[in-house]
């Protein structure tokens, strides 16, 4: 999750965990065979993952990790103005998905319910297109309102999910994500739950630090290079990666930082702090979408598009407003289940 090594988390129960070093990435294995079980945490494992946790849709906590009760004060004094701490929150224990929801999981939901996503109904969605290197790009011109783009066709007509079952589902809206969650008897996390799970009551990461390990290796799928036209792919991925290619945090959660932004249940309030550029409404207009209604929601964790020169939101405290009914290619989600550990 882009955290430093030996992060310590202290939970209300008095339990103190010393979390081990985050494993580095290993080379992609072309011979990996599909499998339906975790573990995850490096590239061969994530490439071999079929995208469905064992017992999915049958066992209540399939693919989830338990987050013990505790207290968190979301926010930081180091980050953007919209990240200022807003007071301590006491949380009961809850279950949370170990990974972002995958295309395979979402497909199972659609097969069972016949759900038609908002982008499918609308017939278009906002797809990221990297400009050519050195091209003089207008702000937000990398978002292209693409007819026929939806979760089954991530880049529009001609694209499909073949071989991408283990990638996070994208081009889904808040309503789509909630429908999925409710199908399983789950919910979307609140911002406080998400942040607590992401940093496990440890100190938030410093704003200027990229998620890199002791040897400088990327610990999350974010953008190395100069956004938006120079992507060095040092982390091995130009866009969203399969879930779980990077080591889990101390609670067993993968990709809380980076890969795709994650929808929360909460409406976004407070001062808007653009990415140093990326005003959300400007993005939407640039993408060619109709004006959106209602309040934006909070998204967390940053995405494969966050770079040191842009966004820099690869941190647990970072937050961003996202139009609830806007389907884009860098926003996905994971779910929570608020129940006793059982
Ligand atoms: Ca993520």
């Amino acid at each position: 999750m882009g955290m430093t090594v030996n992060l310590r988390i202290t939970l209300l129960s008095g339990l103190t965990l010393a979390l081990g070093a985050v494993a580095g990435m290993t080379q992609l294995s072309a011979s990996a065979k599909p499998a339906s079980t975790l573990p995850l945490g490096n590239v061969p494992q994530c490439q071999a993952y079929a995208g469905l946790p064992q017992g999915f849709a049958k066992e209540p906590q399939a693919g989830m990790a338990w987050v013990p009760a505790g207290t968190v004060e979301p926010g930081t004094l180091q980050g953007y103005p919209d990240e200022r701490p807003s007071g301590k929150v006491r949380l009961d224990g809850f279950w949370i998905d170990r990974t972002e929801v995958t295309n395979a999981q979402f497909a199972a939901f659609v097969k069972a319910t016949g759900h038609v996503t908002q982008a499918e109904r609308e017939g278009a969605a906002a797809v990221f297109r990297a400009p050519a290197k050195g091209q003089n790009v207008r702000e937000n011109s990398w978002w292209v309102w693409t007819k026929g783009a939806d979760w089954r066709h991530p880049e529009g007509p001609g694209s499909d999910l073949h071989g991408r079952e283990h990638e996070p589902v994208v081009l889904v809206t808040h309503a789509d994500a909630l429908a999925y969650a409710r199908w399983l008897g789950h919910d979307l996390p609140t911002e406080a739950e998400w942040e607590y799970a992401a940093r496990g009551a440890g100190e938030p990461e410093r704003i200027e630090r990229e998620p890199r390990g002791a040897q400088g290796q990327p610990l999350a799928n974010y953008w190395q290079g100069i956004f938006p036209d120079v992507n060095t792919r040092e982390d091995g991925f130009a866009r969203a990666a399969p879930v779980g290619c990077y080591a889990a945090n101390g609670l067993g959660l993968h990709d809380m930082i980076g890969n795709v932004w994650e929808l929360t249940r909460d409406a976004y309030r407070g001062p808007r702090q653009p990415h140093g550029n990326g005003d959300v409404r400007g993005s939407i207009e640039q993408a060619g979408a109709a004006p959106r209604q209602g309040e934006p929601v909070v998204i967390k964790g940053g995405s494969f598009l966050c770079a040191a020169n842009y966004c820099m939101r690869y941190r647990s405290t970072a937050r961003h407003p996202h139009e609830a009914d806007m389907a884009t290619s860098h926003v996905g989600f994971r779910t929570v289940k608020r129940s006793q550990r059982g």
Side-chain angles (χ1 to χ4, degrees):
M1 61 179 278
M3 302 288 286
T4 55
V5 294
N6 295 324
L7 167 70
R8 293 172 69 83
I9 61 172
T10 304
L11 305 168
L12 260 198
S13 61
L15 177 68
T16 300
L17 301 174
L19 307 183
V22 182
M25 288 180 60
T26 50
Q27 293 302 305
L28 194 155
S29 166
S31 61
K33 292 192 169 61
S36 294
T37 54
L38 303 169
L40 294 167
N42 58 43
V43 171
Q45 287 174 334
C46 72
Q47 294 287 12
Y49 181 46
L52 281 179
Q54 196 164 31
F56 178 70
K58 299 186 185 77
E59 298 165 16
Q61 288 97 29
M64 305 187 95
W66 176 250
V67 181
T71 297
V72 63
E73 183 166 27
T76 176
L77 295 173
Q78 298 174 331
Y80 293 123
D82 69 345
E83 291 175 66
R84 294 290 172 264
S86 55
K88 291 185 177 175
V89 181
R90 171 82 170 85
L91 295 171
D92 293 331
F94 60 94
W95 294 91
I96 188 167
D97 289 330
R98 296 165 72 97
T99 72
E100 296 144 337
V101 173
T102 64
N103 285 316
Q105 288 174 289
F106 199 80
F109 155 65
V110 167
K111 187 177 179 187
T113 63
H115 180 85
V116 179
T117 62
Q118 207 157 343
E120 288 172 296
R121 295 198 302 274
E122 203 160 336
V127 174
F128 174 76
R129 301 258 173 83
K133 184 178 178 180
Q135 187 179 318
N136 187 13
V137 289
R138 269 180 310 138
E139 179 62 33
N140 287 323
S141 62
W142 41 83
W143 288 114
V144 178
W145 189 243
T146 304
K147 285 186 179 174
D150 56 50
W151 74 278
R152 299 177 198 270
H153 308 94
E155 285 81 40
S159 64
D160 59 39
L161 298 181
H162 184 69
R164 296 168 71 168
E165 296 84 356
H166 51 3
E167 292 182 15
V169 64
V170 292
L171 300 170
V172 289
T173 63
H174 200 251
D176 297 326
L178 269 176
Y180 169 91
R182 286 170 181 158
W183 171 63
L184 288 171
H186 298 180
D187 196 1
L188 292 178
T190 64
E191 183 176 12
E193 286 170 337
W194 191 98
E195 195 164 322
Y196 178 64
R199 63 178 156 124
E203 291 298 311
E205 309 92 322
R206 294 177 65 86
I207 187 171
E208 74 278 15
R209 282 208 188 130
E210 293 181 43
R212 289 181 183 272
Q215 281 76 49
Q217 76 278 23
L219 298 178
N221 183 14
Y222 68 104
W223 184 291
Q224 299 87 45
I226 309 298
F227 186 88
D229 57 336
V230 180
N231 187 345
T232 68
R233 306 186 189 186
E234 184 184 344
D235 60 7
F237 301 102
R239 55 175 177 81
V243 301
C245 292
Y246 298 87
N249 73 3
L251 295 172
L253 311 178
H254 298 274
D255 304 304
M256 293 296 279
I257 302 304
N259 212 22
V260 292
W261 283 99
E262 298 178 22
L263 293 158
T264 70
R265 205 180 64 173
D266 293 355
Y268 180 93
R269 298 191 178 89
R272 291 199 180 211
Q273 173 66 41
H275 286 324
N277 22 47
D279 173 71
V280 65
R281 196 156 295 281
S283 301
I284 293 164
E285 288 165 3
Q286 191 69 52
R292 300 280 153 170
Q293 305 293 322
E295 271 190 310
V297 295
V298 176
I299 53 175
K300 297 288 280 183
S303 81
F304 62 94
L305 298 179
C306 286
N309 72 310
Y310 177 84
C311 176
M312 263 175 65
R313 283 188 158 91
Y314 28 56
R315 306 185 308 291
S316 57
T317 59
R319 55 206 304 268
H320 201 58
H322 180 74
E323 300 303 306
D325 57 353
M326 182 72 168
T328 72
S329 49
H330 68 149
V331 176
F333 67 102
R334 75 181 72 209
T335 71
V336 295
K337 183 172 176 59
R338 298 182 192 91
S339 66
Q340 295 305 305
R341 184 162 194 176

